[in-house]
Amino acid sequence: MDQTTLLMLLLPILVIQLGLMVFTLIDLVKNPNPKGPKWLWGAIIVFINILGPILYLAIGRRNY
Amino acid sequence: MNQFGVLLKKEWRENFRNYKLFWIPVVFILFGIIEPLTNYFLPQILDSVGNLPEGAVIDIPPPEPEQILAAVMGQYQLVGLLVLILAYMGTIAGERKNGTATLLYVRPLSFTAYFLSKWILASVVGLLSVWLGLITAYYYTMLLFERIDFTKFLQFAGTYSLWILLVVTFVLLLSAAMPNAGMAAAASLLLIIIFQLADGLFGAYWTVSPLKIPGYAVSWLLDSPGNKEFWGTMGISVFLILAMLGSGIWMSKYNASKTKV
């Protein structure tokens, strides 16, 4: 398998994961009242792959 | 009917604005991509992180494409269900807590319209995510391995959809019944795990059970499941969904008085 096909295969994951991360971080910065300390959520979003942003969106946003 | 339309619109806006309409499908798609890729690159991954002795030969037969779709479904059974439960645990319990419910309850509210509007939006998001994720997985499996018969895939995904509907209905029912969102999530997770455990332990004694839906969905990929068991299971599941809808409507009405402002 040559480099370009490899890139084509892996690019969607990279885009989705980075997109999710950036999107979530922006939301965290704008969020006036998240559930729990902001810096902790920031660390979770950046350092825990995939699951970090999901956890923030699901339980950290305090939207209910 | 007018009230139902208004409530449906409200639910749609809510799902749109708290991004559930976007991020839940994205998560499912992500898992749909990762599973085929890790299967494809498994030899290289083992090679680079496996800490194997020099000269060790790894000979893994390439997995069947059907196995990969089944593995994607396995991921959805763990992470996917968790995401759906966490996302929809607060739909009714949370509204009671944050005050939206008081605004609704002071009006002449049809609880049927109230519960059904929530159920429809949650189901739409759940089904959309599962279908997009499975189609992505199907596409990647086709690229990296072999093509799976599309009718088989449709049967598989269709059967699994009913399971997702069942879970979503269950979560909403518990959200209506429990005092707060956390309890609803804990109860639905615990009950789903216990049910699946019970099915794993004693499931050999019964063939017709809603818990068998994921299993029957996978068996569509290999060959078809037994006609009688399959349709029996589907029938019972549909009945169960209707029953849960009914009790959900009743519970949301019953608990309306418990609102705190």
Side-chain angles (χ1 to χ4, degrees), chain B residues 100-154:
Chain B
T100 318
T102 38
L103 293 174
L104 290 168
Y105 293 164
V106 291
R107 289 171 174 79
L109 176 71
S110 151
F111 281 91
T112 316
Y114 175 69
F115 192 84
L116 279 187
S117 66
K118 288 180 179 311
W119 180 74
I120 286 175
L121 247 293
S123 315
V124 164
V125 172
L127 291 184
L128 184 80
S129 318
V130 166
W131 277 87
L132 285 177
L134 284 179
I135 286 174
T136 323
Y138 179 82
Y139 176 68
Y140 265 80
T141 314
M142 193 174 76
L143 279 185
L144 296 172
F145 300 93
E146 284 164 58
R147 197 191 174 84
I148 304 172
D149 189 16
F150 196 65
T151 27
K152 276 185 176 176
F153 169 75
L154 283 182

Side-chain angles (χ1 to χ4, degrees), chain A residues 25-46:
Chain A
L25 280 176
I26 291 173
D27 188 80
L28 177 70
V29 170
K30 282 186 182 168
N31 193 339
N33 187 21
K35 204 181 224 168
K38 267 195 188 193
W39 61 268
L40 186 63
W41 276 121
I44 289 173
I45 290 167
V46 175

